[in-house]
Each structure stands twice: as structure tokens, then as C-alpha cells.
Amino acid sequence: MKTSSSPFPAGSAWAMAVMCILTATTQAADRPAKFTVPNSQIQALGIQTTPLQNDTDLVKASYPAHVVVPPEAEQVISSPVAGLVAQLLVQQNQVVPSGAPLVRIVSPELGQLQLQLLQATVRATLARQAAQREHALFDEGIIAKRRVQEARAALQEAEATLNQAKAALRLSGMPSATIERIATSGKPQDSVTLLATQAGIVTVIAVKPGQRVEAATALLHVAQTDSLWLDIQLPVSERVGWPAGTQVKVLGRSLTARILSVSPTVSHGSQTVVLRAAVEGKTGEVRPGELVTVELPITATQGNWDVPLSAVVHDGEQAYLLVRTADGFEARPVKVVVSAGQRVRVQGPLKEGEQIAISGVVALKGAWLDAKESK
């Protein structure tokens, strides 16, 4: 009867698994950093190296950004009353001055408000005449002072009602000059024309002529595009910080922007944070809602190196650079600070002038791993 040659008794398969894991971990830890590569193989594999340089220039990191209008630069024109959109007086993307007519609304509520204005105007006129007559009779000694006081109180009440009626029409979008003309002439109008309270560009038209709207329905937007922001989308894993005041560049445009703030929260869907920057100078090269790409500077500091992305290899989660030695290469562990397109900022035990592999690194990594197997 043959006996098992396994060092573990029957039923100890889990012990074998543990041993395999420990062995793999030990092998990774014991993997030699230096390995020999003959010059003939270096030439045959097309391996190229470049010297490390302590470049003082700024590395640029590119990120997407949305062009947005600051809240204080955008006006939302809403319907002050329920009614019908009778006429649109502007077109989308049209430049309008302050006070320009935008949209005309026809509303039954408007007629009721004007009726209240006319009634209040008549009452105020009668109360004013009565107060003047009572004051004249009092001066002649015909009536008592109490009647004068009562007439004055009635006049104040009538004027308060009139002012309330005028305020209601102003809230409905009617200009003060139009309100005074209606009160004087006694001729109401069947519509109200809403005006732009600031100069800008009509960016959104949300209604069509003939459409019925309720009070407070948004009709259109007017934005001042001489002041624009960039909402820069940064991955939440990004560890490089940019303080307020840092200048960024818009790629493909002769525009720059200054960082204002960074959002303290993370977008749930995209797992990004928003870096907000204000566009400097003329903003005519970008439009609200446009998606652009910006460059953010990454300052070179002591112990950080800017290397090609192709020079970095990984063994598990650890990153390495393959540094040239007298008889081969050495796998030097580094920490990736940030990736900027085809350039990577790394930090590690490196010296200026050392040669690092920038092509053929896959073959070199294979030789490095083979060196462990043959150890």
C-alpha cells in the first residue's frame, strides 16, 4: 500500500492553499531589483533609454470643463400672471439691450387688476376733493375739526388702496409709465409686454406663441456673456490641489481662467469634483453650455520627475521605472503623483542623469520576472 508524499495529512487542502499564497507573496517580495540584460539583447529588442532631468517647467494636466453663466449674470423671465403667450418679440441667441421688449402676454387677470386700478383712482380722486372741501369749510368756521380729520383719514385710505393697485400691476410686469397712463386716461390694455432688466443674450426660449402659461412659468433666459465660468470636472482620485488664483488655459482658444473654488462634494454619478474658474478677458471664444478642455499646471518639486507614460511598469499595484545599470537594468519603485496625458509625474529614489527605459519596457519586464524564476 502506497503512502502519500504530501507533507499535509488528508483533508488539509486549505493548508496547501495558504502555503501557495504565502509562497507567491514571498516570491514577489524577493524578486530581485537588478537583472542582467546583454547589450546584444538590448539592441535586438529595440530598447531605448533617456536620461532623467529635473525639468523646472510646468507639467500640464488636461480635464474637461463646461462653460456656465454665473447666477448673478442670468435673468429668468417668468410670466407674472396666468395667460396666453401672444407674441415672442426676440429670437434665441439675439443680443438685447436693457429695457428691450421680450414677450407679450394676454391675460384675464390683467384686466381685473386694471379694473381695480381704475376704481381705486376714482375713489382717491373723490376722497381728495372731499378732503379739500371739508378743509375749506373748516377754515370758514362752518364745520367742526373732526370732519376734517375724518376726510383726511378717508383720503389716506383711498391713496393706500390706489398704491396697492399700482403695485399689483407692477408685479404683473407692467411698467410704471404705462400704469400712470391707464390711471389718467381710464383706458385699460389687454396685454402686458415683459422687458429685459439687463443687457445680454437670449439663451433659452421655453414657450411658443399661442401657448397657455401659469403664473411664474419660465418663458425665456437672458444671460450676460461678458462674465463666464468654467466648471472643471476632476476625478475624485486626483490628489493634486490647485489653490484659488491659479491660472488655467483653455485648449484651442486664446483664453485663460482663474480658479475661484473647488467643490467640497463629489458627484454621485460621475465620481468627480468640480473646480470652478472665472474666464479672463474677452469671452467671445466660448459659449454657455459648451464643453471645452483645460490645462491645469502641476508644479515640479524636489524629488518629483516628469517621465513618459511608456516608461512606467507595474507589478501588482506597485509602479516601477527600469533604470539602466552597468550590466542591465534595475527595477526602481516609484509613486505616481499624477498622470497628464502621455506624461506622468512620479516620485521615488531617482537621480538626475540616470537612464530609464522608455521603449521595449514590456520585454524588460519579462526579463525581470524571468530573473526571479531562474534564481
Side-chain angles (χ1 to χ4, degrees), residues 37-49 324-325 327-329 359 364:
V37 181
N39 290 332
S40 59
Q41 290 187 11
I42 292 178
Q43 296 177 357
L45 294 174
I47 298 171
Q48 297 180 355
T49 62
R324 188 75 165 90
T325 62
D327 57 354
F329 286 86
S359 66
L364 283 179

Side-chain angles (χ1 to χ4, degrees), residues 168-214:
L169 281 171
R170 281 195 297 269
L171 290 176
S172 72
M174 186 173 290
S176 297
T178 303
I179 296 173
E180 294 299 334
R181 184 174 66 251
I182 293 172
T184 302
S185 65
K187 298 179 180 180
Q189 60 184 38
D190 61 353
S191 65
V192 59
T193 300
L194 305 182
L195 308 179
T197 59
Q198 63 182 21
I201 296 178
V202 180
T203 57
V204 176
I205 296 180
V207 293
K208 297 179 180 180
Q211 180 176 339
R212 293 192 175 276
V213 294
E214 298 296 329

Side-chain angles (χ1 to χ4, degrees), residues 1-266:
M1 182 177 180
K2 294 182 179 181
T3 60
S4 174
S5 60
S6 173
F8 299 100
S12 299
W14 65 272
M16 288 288 291
V18 172
M19 180 60 70
C20 290
I21 295 174
L22 293 176
T23 301
T25 304
T26 303
Q27 288 176 350
D30 294 343
R31 184 170 292 141
K34 295 183 178 181
F35 54 99
T36 302
V37 181
N39 290 332
S40 59
Q41 290 187 11
I42 292 178
Q43 296 177 357
L45 294 174
I47 298 171
Q48 297 180 355
T49 62
T50 188
L52 279 172
Q53 296 181 356
N54 189 9
D55 194 355
T56 58
D57 293 336
L58 298 180
V59 180
K60 305 292 184 179
S62 300
Y63 299 98
H66 276 106
V67 182
V68 299
V69 178
E72 65 274 10
E74 185 171 19
Q75 175 195 9
V76 179
I77 308 299
S78 301
S79 178
V81 291
L84 182 73
V85 179
Q87 186 180 10
L88 286 173
L89 303 174
V90 292
Q91 299 177 352
Q92 190 160 348
N93 299 323
Q94 179 178 336
V95 178
V96 296
S98 177
L102 302 175
V103 59
R104 186 166 65 88
I105 303 291
V106 177
S107 171
E109 292 183 15
L110 190 63
Q112 184 63 32
L113 292 175
Q114 292 178 92
L115 176 59
Q116 294 174 2
L117 171 68
L118 296 177
Q119 291 173 342
T121 301
V122 172
R123 294 191 186 99
T125 300
L126 293 176
R128 188 175 301 107
Q129 293 173 351
Q132 292 174 353
R133 184 175 60 255
E134 295 295 300
H135 192 277
L137 293 175
F138 173 73
D139 289 342
E140 295 177 4
I142 299 175
I143 62 174
K145 186 176 182 180
R146 177 178 58 81
R147 289 182 56 179
V148 176
Q149 294 172 340
E150 291 175 349
R152 288 177 179 174
L155 174 60
Q156 291 176 351
E157 182 179 352
E159 289 179 339
T161 303
L162 176 60
N163 290 333
Q164 183 182 16
K166 291 180 178 180
L169 281 171
R170 281 195 297 269
L171 290 176
S172 72
M174 186 173 290
S176 297
T178 303
I179 296 173
E180 294 299 334
R181 184 174 66 251
I182 293 172
T184 302
S185 65
K187 298 179 180 180
Q189 60 184 38
D190 61 353
S191 65
V192 59
T193 300
L194 305 182
L195 308 179
T197 59
Q198 63 182 21
I201 296 178
V202 180
T203 57
V204 176
I205 296 180
V207 293
K208 297 179 180 180
Q211 180 176 339
R212 293 192 175 276
V213 294
E214 298 296 329
T217 300
L219 306 176
L220 46 81
H221 293 208
V222 177
Q224 292 178 318
T225 57
D226 56 348
S227 176
L228 294 175
W229 286 352
L230 299 178
D231 279 354
I232 306 169
Q233 310 294 321
L234 296 181
V236 68
S237 58
E238 184 60 75
R239 301 303 181 189
V240 178
W242 288 275
T246 302
Q247 188 179 67
V248 303
K249 181 181 178 181
V250 181
L251 290 179
R253 319 291 172 90
S254 56
L255 285 179
T256 58
R258 293 279 179 181
I259 293 178
L260 299 176
S261 63
V262 58
S263 172
T265 60
V266 177

Side-chain angles (χ1 to χ4, degrees), residues 312-346:
V312 181
V313 298
H314 289 82
D315 183 20
E317 296 183 356
Q318 179 61 55
Y320 294 86
L321 292 184
L322 302 177
V323 183
R324 188 75 165 90
T325 62
D327 57 354
F329 286 86
E330 177 184 358
R332 202 79 58 82
V334 294
K335 177 183 177 182
V336 176
V337 178
V338 68
S339 176
Q342 296 301 310
R343 307 293 294 180
V344 179
R345 176 72 64 183
V346 299

